[in-house]
Structures are given as C-alpha cells and as structure tokens.
Amino acid sequence: MSKSKTQSTSRSYRRVAAAVDAVCAVAADSDATTLDEVVAAVSLERQREIEITSAQLGPGVCGQRRFYPERDIIVLADALPSRDHTLAHELGHIVFDHEGAPAVETTLEVSDDLIAYMLSQRAHAQIVEDGSDDLAEWEAETFAAMLMTRLRVFNNRGAGVSVLRFDEALG
C-alpha cells in the first residue's frame, strides 16, 4: 500500500500561523490595511507580480491561482459570497508555493467528458490517496481564516498598522 503524502507531511497550525505572521509583518512595513493592499505588499516583497482578476469559473469554483513564469494571477469567480475570504485562500496558495495546475492546463477548453471525469469518484479517490491537494487546501483555508481574523481585529481596533506593530511586539 502506498503511503499518503499527508501522513509524511502533517498539518501544522504553527506553520500556518508563522506564515500569517510573516504576511502581517510585510503588510505593516507597507502600511497595508486592506486585503487587496496586503496582496500588493506580498507581491512587492516577493518581487513577483500578483494580479487579481475576476472571471466566470466552473460550478463550485470560487477562485484559482494561475502560475506563469513571470507572475501569479488570482482569478476570483464573478459572484462570490465572500470575495475577501476567497482572495485570502488563493493568497495562501501563493504564500505556501503550492503546485496547483499550470496555467495552460487550467485554460484549455473543457469538454463534457472532462467534466464528468473530474467529478467522478475515481478522480476524487486519487486526490484523497495522493493527499497533497488535501494538505494544500487545508493550509490555504486555514491561512485564509487566520489572516482574515487578524485583519478584522486590527481594522476594528483603530489604526491598522499601529495595531499590527503592537501585535508583532507581543508575538
């Protein structure tokens, strides 16, 4: 029996919290207080453009990270219940440098057979067995939740950057 990648690479709240701390430090250095400003600050820090755009995505798909040699693009579905959460989730994929699908593969014309295959139990079972997608999604989702909480807290407590610096000092 093959060993799942999630068994050898376990979920770590500390790893995610450290990533959120690092992103918040970059945000503080750039006086970024909104999520869009945080994304821009991360882009500047990485010296790699992160473009945010919207498009009509497939059923059940809220966002995608598209990787190109010179930049990343975060594509958000046209109608989202929570734009910021989805944006934070996709930023998490970038911060953790999750593999994902190359942009060429995500933009190919989709046939009915491909949709049926992607939704089949066999495809789902392969993802679960592989484990890497599960871990990547967990990390991105946990990152989004933690980052959104931090942003809400410091935006509700007054001047965002000073609160970030105060939180940073407290650890």
Side-chain angles (χ1 to χ4, degrees), residues 21 150 153 157 162-171:
D21 287 345
R150 289 277 294 272
V153 167
R157 286 177 30 199
S162 63
V163 173
L164 263 177
R165 290 290 181 212
F166 181 72
D167 288 349
E168 211 175 67
L170 294 177

Side-chain angles (χ1 to χ4, degrees), residues 16 26 41 46 106 122 141 145 156:
V16 176
V26 167
R46 295 173 68 232
T106 63
R122 193 171 356 142
E141 192 60 25
N156 288 335

Side-chain angles (χ1 to χ4, degrees), residues 62-167:
C62 296
Q64 293 178 335
R65 172 214 180 182
R66 296 182 183 169
F67 176 87
Y68 293 89
E70 71 286 350
R71 71 185 193 279
D72 290 294
I73 298 178
I74 295 175
V75 182
L76 302 173
D78 287 328
L80 285 173
S82 177
R83 177 195 182 273
D84 281 355
H85 185 84
T86 303
L87 178 57
H89 176 97
E90 297 306 325
L91 178 61
H93 284 304
I94 291 171
V95 167
F96 286 106
D97 199 25
H98 292 148
E99 286 185 19
V104 173
E105 291 177 24
T106 63
T107 57
L108 293 175
E109 185 176 332
V110 179
S111 69
D112 289 343
D113 289 341
L114 179 59
I115 292 171
Y117 172 76
M118 290 174 68
L119 297 175
S120 75
Q121 290 295 336
R122 193 171 356 142
H124 177 71
Q126 182 61 45
I127 289 169
V128 170
E129 182 181 321
D130 179 40
S132 62
D133 285 344
D134 184 47
L135 178 61
E137 287 304 315
W138 179 86
E139 284 180 335
E141 192 60 25
T142 304
F143 174 88
M146 287 182 177
L147 180 61
M148 294 305 297
T149 298
R150 289 277 294 272
L151 289 175
R152 266 191 308 277
V153 167
F154 75 73
N155 281 323
N156 288 335
R157 286 177 30 199
V161 174
S162 63
V163 173
L164 263 177
R165 290 290 181 212
F166 181 72
D167 288 349

Side-chain angles (χ1 to χ4, degrees), residues 6-71:
T6 56
Q7 291 172 347
S8 61
T9 308
S10 63
R11 296 176 178 185
S12 170
Y13 285 100
R14 283 185 178 177
R15 173 177 150 85
V16 176
V20 171
D21 287 345
V23 167
C24 287
V26 167
D29 289 343
S30 298
D31 294 334
T33 58
T34 68
L35 188 55
D36 286 270
E37 291 171 346
V38 170
V39 171
V42 169
S43 175
L44 191 63
E45 178 73 17
R46 295 173 68 232
Q47 298 179 344
R48 181 176 166 80
E49 180 184 2
I50 301 173
E51 180 184 331
I52 303 168
T53 189
S54 62
Q56 189 170 13
L57 299 175
V61 179
C62 296
Q64 293 178 335
R65 172 214 180 182
R66 296 182 183 169
F67 176 87
Y68 293 89
E70 71 286 350
R71 71 185 193 279

